[in-house]
Amino acid sequence: MTAKPMTARFPGRRGVEAVEDIEVDLLVEAIWRRYQYDFRDYSRASLLRRLQRAQSHFGYPHLSSLLDRILHDPESLNVLIGFLTIQVSEMFRDPEYFRAIREQVIPHLRTWPSIKVWIAGCANGEEFYSLAILFREEGLEERTMFYCTDINPAALAKAEAGVYEIERIAGFSRNYREAGGAGSLADYYTANYGVARFDPTLRRRAVFADHNLASDAVFSEVQLVSSRNVLIYFDRALQDRALGLFAQSLPPGGFLGLGSKETVHFSTESDSFAEFAPLEKIWRRNKNDIQEATFAE
């Protein structure tokens, strides 16, 4: 394996801050070389904050102590991954996005005999259940497959379980109504013992799998990629890589949905997409700029 060269990211800094930079570089390089989790092109400021929280959790005075722990105690990796990946979301987050999917994207998706949806960075599953409910209400559930991917095993397990704290349901329900929900969110879950368990039949057409946008390849052609509030934690090079994967996954006319603060503008893939619903951050794959993709079996 050829290690990715580490470069001086802050050549003008000195003292304690410079030591901290070295520790971060060594730590993310070690995670990559030891476990094949690649955080080297994540936004440095965000990465540092998360590592510092992990450092505090483990009770270490320096990040280098965390490096020693991760190298020699593989069991602690999953704990660290929990700090390095953001799992904060909610169902029907940014309701206008889901309303646009329902009212503007779904009519186009109906023209495909079968539909595949990739939820890249699915976290704890809130976005998947939002889309699964929406597709059920629009009569597309039976011809749709959902691919829910993340790099956090604990998050994937929670997503597959579909169990959320009951205190969150009021916010989920409000978002559902604002997103144009056709009924009541209560139709899709049962509540007991302080939690809400979402209808397991919503998962009949779903696959939950590990996939790393930083290092893995395209795995399937899909008609809709929904990857919201993931790119904001990447640096420019990794954003370009992820957008390249999305572009290769989408056929002509396929759709890409991003988070409210994300864009394809200024990326190396900007020519691959055309704006479809600009305010809701939905793009459509251009028909005259399709790259050949090799899909994993």
Side-chain angles (χ1 to χ4, degrees):
M1 181 190 307
T2 302
K4 181 178 180 178
M6 289 184 289
T7 58
R9 299 173 185 266
F10 303 102
R13 294 167 63 178
R14 297 290 184 270
V16 174
E17 289 187 334
V19 171
E20 191 173 68
D21 293 336
I22 294 170
E23 289 179 315
V24 171
D25 279 334
L26 292 174
L27 184 52
V28 296
E29 184 70 19
I31 294 170
W32 165 244
R33 295 178 65 178
R34 179 80 164 87
Y35 303 105
Q36 294 294 288
Y37 282 98
D38 195 350
F39 294 97
R40 295 171 297 176
D41 288 323
Y42 276 53
S43 165
R44 179 49 62 107
S46 175
L47 183 62
L48 178 57
R49 287 194 300 271
R50 294 187 231 171
L51 286 172
Q52 288 173 332
R53 293 190 191 109
Q55 173 190 332
S56 175
H57 170 82
F58 284 107
Y60 293 140
H62 306 292
L63 287 175
S64 54
S65 301
L66 183 58
L67 171 62
D68 180 74
R69 173 71 173 265
I70 295 303
L71 281 174
H72 299 289
D73 179 15
E75 294 299 319
S76 61
L77 176 68
N78 285 341
V79 178
L80 181 61
I81 293 296
F83 283 98
L84 293 179
T85 56
I86 302 298
Q87 308 303 330
V88 179
S89 188
E90 58 187 31
M91 290 188 65
F92 295 95
R93 180 179 182 178
D94 301 324
E96 62 277 7
Y97 172 81
F98 290 94
R99 183 178 285 275
I101 294 290
R102 185 188 296 272
E103 297 177 355
Q104 301 180 56
V105 174
I106 288 292
H108 294 280
L109 294 182
R110 291 188 194 281
T111 65
W112 270 286
S114 63
I115 305 164
K116 293 180 181 179
V117 177
W118 179 14
I119 304 167
C122 73
N124 292 328
E126 292 93 337
E127 185 166 347
F128 158 67
Y129 289 100
S130 303
L131 288 170
I133 290 169
L134 191 158
F135 274 63
R136 175 174 290 187
E137 292 182 349
E138 294 299 320
L140 291 180
E141 178 183 21
E142 293 305 317
R143 54 187 171 114
T144 302
M145 283 295 301
F146 296 93
Y147 296 95
C148 310
T149 65
D150 204 279
I151 66 171
N152 187 330
L156 285 170
K158 186 166 184 177
E160 191 163 8
V163 178
Y164 303 98
E165 298 81 0
I166 198 68
E167 305 85 54
R168 305 181 65 196
I169 295 301
F172 292 176
S173 297
R174 181 174 58 253
N175 289 346
Y176 167 77
R177 292 191 299 271
E178 294 177 3
S184 169
L185 190 64
D187 296 336
Y188 300 100
Y189 68 84
T190 56
N192 50 53
Y193 301 105
V195 298
R197 299 177 183 275
F198 277 80
D199 184 350
T201 65
L202 291 168
R203 303 190 293 273
R204 287 181 306 182
R205 309 278 301 170
V207 175
F208 297 85
D210 179 277
H211 183 274
N212 193 334
L213 293 172
S215 56
D216 292 336
V218 173
F219 62 89
S220 180
E221 180 179 276
V222 300
Q223 283 68 46
L224 169 63
V225 175
S226 189
S227 182
R228 307 181 66 236
N229 305 301
V230 175
L231 298 183
I232 56 175
Y233 299 107
F234 295 169
D235 71 7
R236 180 58 61 83
L238 188 49
Q239 288 178 3
D240 288 342
R241 186 185 197 280
L243 288 168
L245 292 180
F246 300 156
Q248 292 176 53
S249 299
L250 291 165
F255 294 90
L256 169 65
L258 298 178
S260 60
K261 297 181 180 178
E262 298 171 329
T263 183
V264 302
H265 296 315
F266 315 114
S267 78
T268 57
E269 297 297 329
S270 60
D271 291 338
S272 300
F273 297 96
E275 289 185 333
F276 179 78
L279 294 179
E280 293 81 12
K281 297 304 180 77
I282 300 173
W283 280 262
R284 200 168 191 190
R285 185 72 168 93
N286 281 335
K287 297 184 179 182
N288 58 352
D289 182 35
I290 301 299
Q291 303 176 46
E292 182 176 350
T294 301
F295 300 117
E297 295 294 335

